C-alpha cells in the first residue's frame, strides 16, 4: 500500500502588492466537525466577539463580518499593516481554545477578495450558510453573526 499524500501547509501570506485594504474570506474549522453546539454557544460567541474586538483595538485585524456555525467560522477580514495573517489567526484560535474549550483543526482557509462583486458574493454566501444548513429560515434569524459597526465596534445582528 502506498503512503497517503501529506497535507501541504498553506502560506497565508499575501503578496507584497496587496495593501491593507484587502479583504480576505476566512474559514476556520473545529477539530470535531458536525458536533452539536460547538461554536454556537452564547459564552463562546461572546468570547469570540470580545477577542476579535481586542484585535480590532490593537489594529491587528478588522472583521467586517463573522458568522459562527456549530463546527466552523466564516469571516470577511482585513489585516493590519505589518501583521501576519497566520500569526493573528493562530493567536485567536489559541486564545479561544484555552479559554473557551474549542478544539480547532490545524490551519485555516483564506481567499483574497479581489473586487466589490466578489465581496458581495462572499458576504451573501456567508450570511446564507445557516439557512442552507437548515438552522434558520432567514439570515436575520441566526443569532451568531457579528458585523463591524460604524463606530469600529463589533455588534451582533
Amino acid at each position: 500500500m502506498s503512503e497517503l499524500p501529506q497535507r501541504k501547509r498553506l502560506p497565508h501570506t499575501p503578496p507584497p502588492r496587496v495593501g491593507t485594504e484587502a479583504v480576505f474570506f476566512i474559514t476556520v474549522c473545529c477539530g470535531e466537525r458536525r458536533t452539536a453546539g460547538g461554536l454556537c454557544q452564547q459564552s463562546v460567541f461572546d468570547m469570540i466577539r470580545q477577542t476579535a474586538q481586542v484585535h480590532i483595538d490593537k489594529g491587528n485585524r478588522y472583521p467586517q463580518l463573522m458568522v459562527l456555525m456549530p463546527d466552523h467560522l466564516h469571516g470577511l477580514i482585513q489585516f493590519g499593516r505589518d501583521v501576519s495573517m497566520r500569526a493573528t489567526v493562530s493567536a485567536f484560535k489559541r486564545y479561544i481554545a484555552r479559554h473557551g474549550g474549542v478544539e480547532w483543526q490545524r490551519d485555516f482557509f483564506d481567499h483574497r477578495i479581489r473586487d466589490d462583486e466578489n465581496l458581495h458574493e462572499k458576504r451573501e454566501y456567508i450570511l446564507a450558510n445557516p439557512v442552507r444548513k437548515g438552522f434558520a429560515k432567514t439570515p436575520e434569524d441566526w443569532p451568531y453573526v457579528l458585523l463591524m459597526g460604524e463606530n469600529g465596534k463589533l455588534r451582533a445582528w
Side-chain angles (χ1 to χ4, degrees):
M1 178 186 244
S2 64
E3 279 189 41
L4 294 174
Q6 295 296 309
R7 186 176 191 184
K8 292 180 182 178
R9 187 175 177 120
L10 300 173
H12 302 300
T13 305
R17 69 183 180 282
V18 175
T20 58
E21 71 284 352
V23 177
F24 291 84
F25 169 56
I26 303 285
T27 301
V28 184
C29 297
C30 292
E32 292 292 322
R33 296 300 306 260
R34 310 281 183 251
T35 55
L39 298 177
C40 296
Q41 301 173 55
Q42 191 61 48
S43 61
V44 174
F45 179 71
D46 291 341
M47 183 178 297
I48 287 174
R49 178 177 52 209
Q50 291 165 359
T51 305
Q53 190 63 55
V54 166
H55 282 278
I56 292 166
D57 295 343
K58 287 182 176 180
N60 291 344
R61 66 181 177 138
Y62 306 94
Q64 296 179 3
L65 169 67
M66 293 173 77
V67 174
L68 280 63
M69 298 293 286
D71 62 357
H72 66 282
L73 175 153
H74 286 303
L76 291 173
I77 303 173
Q78 291 173 279
F79 292 87
R81 187 171 299 287
D82 303 322
V83 174
S84 161
M85 179 189 311
R86 178 182 294 284
T88 302
V89 173
S90 293
F92 172 79
K93 287 170 55 177
R94 190 171 36 256
Y95 184 85
I96 299 301
R98 284 186 188 149
H99 300 283
V102 174
E103 182 184 327
W104 300 103
Q105 281 187 9
R106 182 176 60 116
D107 223 339
F108 61 97
F109 170 82
D110 72 270
H111 170 77
R112 182 168 55 96
I113 305 297
R114 288 173 169 70
D115 57 38
D116 287 341
E117 182 179 332
N118 191 233
L119 179 62
H120 178 75
E121 176 186 298
K122 291 298 184 199
R123 180 181 169 81
E124 295 305 310
Y125 170 83
I126 292 170
L127 289 171
N129 204 0
V131 176
R132 278 192 309 278
K133 297 293 183 182
F135 297 133
K137 290 185 190 264
T138 69
E140 294 79 13
D141 292 337
W142 188 242
Y144 304 105
V145 176
L146 292 169
L147 301 164
M148 176 64 82
E150 291 183 22
N151 61 357
K153 301 292 182 193
L154 280 177
R155 62 179 175 80
W157 267 130

